[in-house]
């Protein structure tokens, strides 16, 4: 019985090999991961787990009581990715082990390549959560939808009409270049929040917290987003971030439908081909979490869960597997066509400083003596 007690939900993901190219995860990798996490569950390290994929990213969803940043849980995820890498090597999959940037695990998986979203929560009597999994994009892709869920009254009716959430929420925003963070209050500092998070390649929402007076303690996250930037970690291109998030819903928090509503608008995100292009993010069911056209367009999957009193993950429900998102998908495909017609031109191609691949320094060097002063 964990109701009223602390429990941790961890989503840890890595690309340890694509099938074929950067397309999707081979089922054998998921099988290997399930075997290892089953053993951990038998040993009592995990309460429950689920293994899935989004594009070429292997996704581990786990409940346990070890708290966030636990050496045991991160070590387990690391070993699981290592083992899955071995399977990927045997199958000759593409980019086997590409997100495992260090040789040895040293206590915490942060900064080692995989993406992590985890939160320690006091389990409510009924705990609905959604885990979001994106492929072919960056952590800042969550800024707009998370802001809409917790800060935008045109998205979340509850901000206006539910007395339990009328006070608003607190946004923890990270400056991923300067490695700093700030907590801002919504709605009081709405314009400051937007001034930062609109610059989504630099400022990313890491957590959302309730305010004083909410049913949930003000220091307990109600949303968390992975913010690892592989490019920053490795100092050179090694693949995109392909972020994940966990969002709690209902009962003084955005309703399930308010959590999903932002994705009815397929907003533009960076990533897509070679991590160097802007394109729309398509909300898809798992069966379509398979980036194909121009290595994309970027995808997002939403899995719905109830965590029961024993900490078990009751789910997943494949939440975008619904006709209500058909129009967003159609629109996304139309936008994808429109963006593609720009070919190598901005704003389809990212600005120079954000591209993950570039030939420009070489070209400039070669042309150096042909450039004349204006
Ligand atoms: C990687 C990705 C892909 C690759 C592209 C080229 O996550 O999204 O678009 O950047 O397929 O990959 P390489 O250089 O490995 O041939
Ligand atoms: Mg890949
Ligand atoms: Mg990926």
């Amino acid at each position: 019985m964990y109701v009223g007690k602390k429990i941790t939900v961890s989503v840890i993901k890595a690309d340890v090999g694509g099938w074929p190219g950067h397309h999707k995860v081979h089922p054998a990798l998921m099988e290997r991961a399930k075997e290892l996490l089953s053993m951990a569950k038998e040993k009592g390290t995990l309460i429950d787990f689920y293994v899935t994929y989004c594009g070429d990213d292997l996704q581990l969803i786990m409940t346990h009581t070890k708290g966030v940043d636990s050496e045991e849980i991160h070590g387990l995820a690391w070993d699981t990715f290592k083992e899955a890498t071995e399977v990927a090597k045997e199958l000759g999959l593409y980019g086997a082990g590409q997100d495992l940037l260090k040789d040895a695990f040293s206590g915490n998986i942060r900064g080692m390549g995989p993406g992590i979203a985890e939160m320690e929560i006091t389990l409510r009597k009924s705990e609905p959560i959604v885990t979001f999994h994106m492929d072919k994009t960056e952590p800042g892709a969550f800024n707009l939808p998370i802001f809409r869920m917790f800060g935008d009254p045109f998205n979340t009716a509850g901000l206006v009409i539910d007395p339990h959430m009328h006070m608003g929420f607190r946004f923890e925003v990270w400056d991923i270049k300067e490695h700093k963070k700030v907590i801002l209050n919504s709605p009081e500092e709405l314009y400051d929040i937007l001034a930062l998070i609109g610059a989504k390649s630099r400022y990313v929402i890491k957590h959302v917290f309730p305010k004083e007076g909410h049913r949930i303690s003000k220091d307990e996250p109600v949303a968390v987003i992975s913010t690892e930037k592989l490019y920053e970690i490795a100092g050179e291109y090694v693949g995109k971030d392909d972020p994940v998030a966990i969002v709690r819903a209902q009962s003084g928090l955005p309703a399930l439908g308010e959590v999903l509503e932002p994705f009815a608008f397929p907003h533009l995100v960076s990533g897509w081909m070679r991590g160097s292009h802007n394109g729309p993010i398509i909300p898809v069911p798992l069966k379509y979490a398979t980036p194909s056209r121009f290595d994309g367009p970027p995808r997002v999957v939403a899995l719905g869960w109830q965590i029961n009193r024993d900490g078990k993950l009751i789910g997943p429900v494949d939440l975008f597997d619904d006709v209500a998102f058909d129009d967003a998908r159609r629109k996304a495909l139309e936008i994808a066509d429109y963006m593609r017609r720009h070919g190598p031109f901005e704003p389809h191609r990212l600005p120079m400083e954000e591209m993950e691949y570039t030939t420009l320094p070489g070209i400039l060097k070669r042309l150096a003596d042909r450039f004349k002063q204006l």
Side-chain angles (χ1 to χ4, degrees):
M1 251 318 247
Y2 291 103
V3 176
K5 300 203 180 105
K6 298 274 189 199
I7 182 169
T8 305
V9 188
S10 300
V11 180
I12 308 187
K13 45 78 47 182
D15 176 351
V16 293
W19 176 54
H22 290 285
H23 184 59
K24 71 182 284 194
V25 175
H26 190 284
L29 272 57
M30 291 194 276
E31 281 316 308
R32 188 73 190 112
K34 280 180 207 164
E35 282 164 22
L36 290 155
L37 297 191
S38 298
M39 274 151 57
K41 187 171 162 180
E42 263 161 48
K43 255 180 61 191
T45 311
L46 294 179
I47 301 173
D48 203 5
F49 72 87
Y50 191 81
V51 175
T52 188
Y53 70 99
C54 182
D56 54 8
D57 294 283
L58 179 59
Q59 311 269 343
L60 315 178
I61 303 162
M62 302 169 281
T63 54
H64 55 90
T65 53
K66 317 280 177 191
V68 301
D69 284 332
S70 149
E71 183 166 347
E72 206 177 342
I73 301 299
H74 286 201
L76 172 65
W78 183 260
D79 292 343
T80 305
F81 293 137
K82 277 275 184 205
E83 288 290 320
T85 298
E86 289 312 309
V87 179
K89 283 182 184 160
E90 270 163 46
L91 296 172
L93 301 186
Y94 191 68
Q98 76 159 46
D99 280 358
L100 306 183
L101 305 178
K102 305 269 164 76
D103 295 328
F105 180 71
S106 57
N108 189 307
I109 207 166
R110 275 180 210 286
M112 299 186 74
I116 310 124
E118 46 184 4
M119 50 160 86
E120 188 176 48
I121 60 177
T122 310
L123 194 69
R124 295 177 291 168
K125 209 161 69 206
S126 178
E127 189 67 61
I129 65 164
V130 180
T131 59
F132 287 100
H133 311 263
M134 290 181 174
D135 191 35
K136 304 292 184 272
T137 187
E138 54 167 0
F142 274 112
N143 280 6
L144 185 147
I146 295 283
F147 171 77
R148 287 224 164 122
M149 291 171 209
F150 290 93
D152 179 2
F154 281 77
N155 179 87
T156 297
L159 291 167
V160 181
I161 63 178
D162 180 352
H164 298 293
M165 58 191 297
H166 193 69
M167 74 277 255
F169 291 92
R170 303 186 304 134
F171 289 81
E172 180 186 306
V173 177
W174 282 18
D175 175 343
I176 51 182
K177 297 240 160 74
E178 292 281 325
H179 301 278
K180 288 185 194 157
K181 62 178 179 181
V182 60
I183 294 189
L184 294 163
N185 295 308
S186 166
E188 306 89 297
E189 299 175 296
L190 212 55
Y191 299 159
D192 294 347
I193 295 172
L194 288 168
L196 296 180
I197 66 171
K200 65 179 171 41
S201 61
R202 169 140 186 193
Y203 298 99
V204 298
I205 302 172
K206 177 65 189 181
H207 290 109
V208 180
F209 295 103
K211 281 186 179 164
E212 195 72 63
H214 195 279
R215 288 169 175 158
I216 296 174
S217 141
K218 75 182 231 308
D219 300 314
E220 211 175 87
V222 290
V224 61
I225 298 93
S226 67
T227 44
E228 286 63 35
K229 271 215 123 194
L230 291 180
Y231 179 83
E232 296 277 307
I233 294 166
E236 61 180 275
Y237 171 69
V238 280
K240 267 170 300 305
D241 316 88
D242 303 340
V244 287
I246 310 170
V247 178
R248 301 167 79 183
Q250 306 284 166
S251 198
L253 299 177
L256 182 75
E258 291 167 337
V259 169
L260 301 176
E261 175 66 8
F263 296 95
F265 168 62
H267 64 293
L268 292 173
V269 300
S270 356
W272 207 348
M273 176 55 76
R274 299 176 185 275
S276 304
H277 293 82
N278 283 312
I281 188 148
I282 320 185
V284 287
L286 269 173
K287 66 175 175 210
Y288 293 135
T290 48
S292 51
R293 181 179 177 190
F294 201 54
D295 285 1
R299 316 273 156 136
V300 56
V301 162
L303 301 180
W305 312 86
Q306 288 285 148
I307 305 177
N308 83 355
R309 59 177 176 230
D310 302 317
K312 295 245 149 58
L313 286 160
I314 310 302
V317 180
D318 197 351
L319 293 165
F320 290 142
D321 193 4
D322 188 276
V323 290
F325 290 93
D326 281 354
D327 230 45
R329 290 189 269 268
R330 250 194 306 272
K331 194 166 292 153
L333 297 182
E334 197 184 313
I335 297 166
D337 261 330
Y338 173 82
M339 295 301 282
R340 279 301 301 125
R341 288 184 62 183
H342 293 79
F345 284 80
E346 295 178 16
H348 179 31
R349 204 215 68 208
L350 294 184
M352 284 182 319
E353 49 307 338
E354 284 179 38
M355 287 194 296
E356 283 176 356
Y357 284 65
T358 182
T359 46
L360 199 63
I363 295 175
L364 287 176
K365 204 165 148 204
R366 198 153 34 74
L367 297 180
D369 19 307
R370 289 168 57 190
F371 267 101
K372 304 286 174 238
Q373 210 57 47
L374 288 177

